[in-house]
């Protein structure tokens, strides 16, 4: 059962990573798998092998989400945008209790007033980043993606731009609340990449699609390694403050994603949207509860000196 849940989480994270304006990093935090995801992103071979029961189904699910289900989510956003955005908003709301405990609770010591103020300031910084990013996003949300558009000719200048977009997009992908796909859209390479992915399965366009996707793949790899190691360092040295900023990023994501009430054009749409909101919040909340229970059961059979708890993980009892 745990494999299936992890596989489904991977699918959702993979799908979100190809949608501009939707942060896959947000969903990683929502599903309470940020530490395991960071081990994968930083290519920590030892941790990846130790957590292979998580890594394998998650990566398979994530790849499946990118390759197979991105078209489905595009259809949902095109035909049921309000309900879909309400669902994602619910996912964020359901994760708030867990993130609050990570940021402002410490079972080993009582937080001093000065530290609490600094944590609140960190959360406000996270909110401000997302608000600014959302304002920037509004200047680029009119871009229309044409299915099956012709791929551009390869050039070194284009390859460099695709590589840089891959680096920045990967760093953004592991920061909750920031959409890596949106950064690629801003840099003008997203339409190219989204058209190149399906072109890989067409023999006549396979080589052209490959040479366009390869620089992006290398850039993503570089960005993941550099960005994830920096974040892991911050989580190890300044755990509460780092999670406070992440908490702010998640709160800001509600402002960025929540579509408001203008889309509730009928009673049926309103009811469906409300159900999606509750479903998303329930999924996120009970997912974290289930993960916590499974982690506690796994720890019962592990001796303290042999604990395999990730260095960056904060356990809240």
């Amino acid at each position: 059962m745990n494999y299936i849940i992890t596989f489904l989480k991977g699918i959702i994270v993979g799908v979100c990573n190809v949608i501009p304006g939707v942060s896959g990093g947000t969903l990683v935090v929502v599903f309470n798998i940020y530490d395991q995801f960071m081990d994968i992103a930083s290519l920590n071979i030892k941790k990846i092998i130790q957590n292979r029961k998580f890594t394998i189904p998650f990566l398979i699910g994530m790849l499946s989400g990118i390759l197979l289900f991105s078209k489905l989510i595009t259809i949902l956003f095109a035909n049921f945008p309000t309900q879909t955005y309400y669902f994602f908003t619910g996912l964020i709301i359901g994760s708030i209790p867990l993130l609050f405990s990570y940021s402002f609770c410490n079972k080993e010591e009582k937080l001093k007033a000065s530290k609490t103020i600094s944590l609140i300031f960190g959360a406000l910084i996270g909110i401000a980043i997302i608000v600014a990013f959302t304002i920037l996003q509004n200047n680029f949300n009119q871009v229309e993606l044409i299915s099956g558009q012709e791929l551009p000719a390869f050039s070194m200048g284009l390859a460099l731009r695709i590589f840089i977009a891959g680096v920045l997009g990967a760093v953004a992908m592991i920061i909750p609340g920031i959409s890596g796909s949106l950064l690629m859209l801003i840099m003008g390479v997203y339409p190219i990449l989204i058209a190149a992915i399906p072109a890989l399965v067409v023999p006549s366009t396979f080589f052209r699609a490959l040479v366009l996707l390869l620089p992006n793949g290398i850039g993503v790899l570089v960005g993941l390694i550099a960005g994830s190691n920096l974040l892991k360092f911050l989580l190890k040295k300044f755990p509460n403050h780092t999670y406070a900023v992440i908490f702010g990023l998640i709160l800001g994501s509600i402002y960025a994603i929540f579509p408001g009430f203008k889309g509730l054009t009928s009673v049926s749409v309103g009811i469906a949207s409300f159900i999606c909101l509750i479903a998303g919040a329930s999924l996120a909340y009970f997912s974290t509860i289930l993960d916590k229970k499974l982690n506690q059961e796994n720890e019962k059979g592990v001796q303290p000196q042999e604990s395999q708890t990730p260095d960056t993980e904060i356990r809240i009892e």
Side-chain angles (χ1 to χ4, degrees), residues 292-312:
K292 182 177 179 180
K293 182 178 180 180
L294 291 173
N295 287 332
Q296 289 175 342
E297 290 178 353
N298 290 335
E299 288 174 349
K300 289 180 180 179
V302 179
Q303 298 298 325
Q305 66 270 20
E306 297 175 351
S307 176
Q308 297 177 355
T309 302
D311 294 337
T312 61

Side-chain angles (χ1 to χ4, degrees), residues 34-36 38-39 42 44 46-47 50-51 229 231-240 243 307-315:
Y34 194 69
D35 294 312
Q36 298 99 313
M38 293 293 285
D39 288 333
S42 61
N44 188 325
K46 181 179 179 181
K47 293 289 180 64
Q50 288 178 348
N51 298 323
N229 280 292
L231 283 176
K232 289 184 70 175
F233 171 79
L234 293 175
L235 285 169
K236 184 176 182 179
K237 297 296 183 181
F238 314 101
N240 286 99
Y243 272 115
S307 176
Q308 297 177 355
T309 302
D311 294 337
T312 61
E313 188 170 5
I314 301 176
R315 298 250 181 228

Side-chain angles (χ1 to χ4, degrees), residues 94 280-292:
S282 300
L283 176 63
Y285 179 76
F286 289 109
S287 173
T288 58
I289 296 297
L290 177 60
D291 279 343
K292 182 177 179 180

Side-chain angles (χ1 to χ4, degrees), residues 40 42 52 66 72 125 134 147 171 177 190 203 226-227 246 263 265 294 301 311:
I40 296 174
S42 61
R52 58 187 178 276
I66 293 174
L72 173 61
I125 290 177
T134 303
S147 178
V171 173
Y190 182 80
I246 293 176
T265 56
L294 291 173
D311 294 337

Side-chain angles (χ1 to χ4, degrees), residues 23 26 89 92 130 176-178 248-258:
S23 170
T26 297
T89 302
I92 295 173
I130 295 301
I178 307 287
L249 291 171
I250 298 299
L251 285 181
S253 295
I254 297 178
Y255 168 79
I257 292 179
F258 184 63

